Amino acid sequence: MTAPSTYGLSTQARNLQWLLTDLVKEVPGVNSVAVVSSDGLLLLSSDPATDGAAAAPQARSKGPRGASADLATIVSGLGSLTSGAAALMDGGSVKQTMVAMEHGSVFVMAISDGSLLGVHATPDCDMSVVAYHMALFVGRAGHVLTPEVRSELRQSMEKTP
């Protein structure tokens, strides 16, 4: 987990960090996970290079916070692109986006407050299992991710070296 220690964080923020850690550890094939605010700021992330989870070498990055920082940028961009496309097509709000690549997959799911959950997974992951666990996270996190908790998480990420 690239987020700092849970010391000093509210119960809601600690619970969100626990849910994210659980998603990474419990779902086979997940390389990294990022929660991004509606304005594109990284709120929570997990980094396989720092939390001991197994990851493919191409999942590791030289970015400021590893693979999760790159994932947060991608999630924010995909969220913006798909929302724009949905508006042009009168398609309503975007619920989920999936990009399948030769060496992995990226999943993006909307959280009720406009934030986004992004997952980078291995090419052999069970996509339905990943999507199911993302939906569980979104269902549990949606009501907890209040403006106060988002602000607290942003501040904790800014303090991360």
Side-chain angles (χ1 to χ4, degrees):
M1 177 76 73
T2 59
S5 158
T6 59
Y7 178 76
L9 293 179
S10 68
T11 301
Q12 294 88 351
R14 286 193 311 269
N15 286 342
L16 287 171
Q17 287 181 335
W18 178 83
L19 285 171
L20 185 109
T21 301
D22 192 52
L23 176 65
V24 173
K25 290 182 179 179
E26 297 298 320
V27 182
V30 170
N31 287 329
S32 59
V33 179
V35 175
V36 182
S37 67
S38 59
D39 54 356
L41 296 174
L42 182 62
L43 298 177
L44 284 172
S45 68
S46 80
D47 193 335
T50 60
D51 69 6
Q58 68 268 22
R60 293 197 173 102
S61 168
K62 295 179 179 136
R65 290 192 186 92
S68 295
D70 291 342
L71 179 60
T73 302
I74 292 164
V75 167
S76 182
L78 282 172
S80 180
L81 178 65
T82 55
S83 291
L88 285 173
M89 295 182 214
D90 293 326
S93 63
V94 177
K95 303 293 183 195
Q96 182 177 344
T97 303
M98 199 269 301
V99 178
M101 302 168 286
E102 184 178 353
H103 299 291
S105 298
V106 174
F107 303 84
V108 179
M109 193 171 285
I111 299 177
S112 63
D113 71 334
S115 298
L116 299 167
L117 170 65
V119 172
H120 174 232
T122 61
D124 60 344
C125 74
D126 185 332
M127 292 181 188
S128 62
V129 170
V130 173
Y132 172 76
H133 283 277
M134 288 178 70
L136 287 177
F137 180 94
V138 167
R140 293 173 180 155
H143 69 282
V144 175
L145 210 47
T146 63
E148 295 80 16
V149 172
R150 284 194 307 271
S151 176
E152 181 181 1
L153 291 170
R154 264 187 280 217
Q155 289 173 2
S156 73
M157 290 303 292
E158 289 170 1
K159 294 177 187 174
T160 303

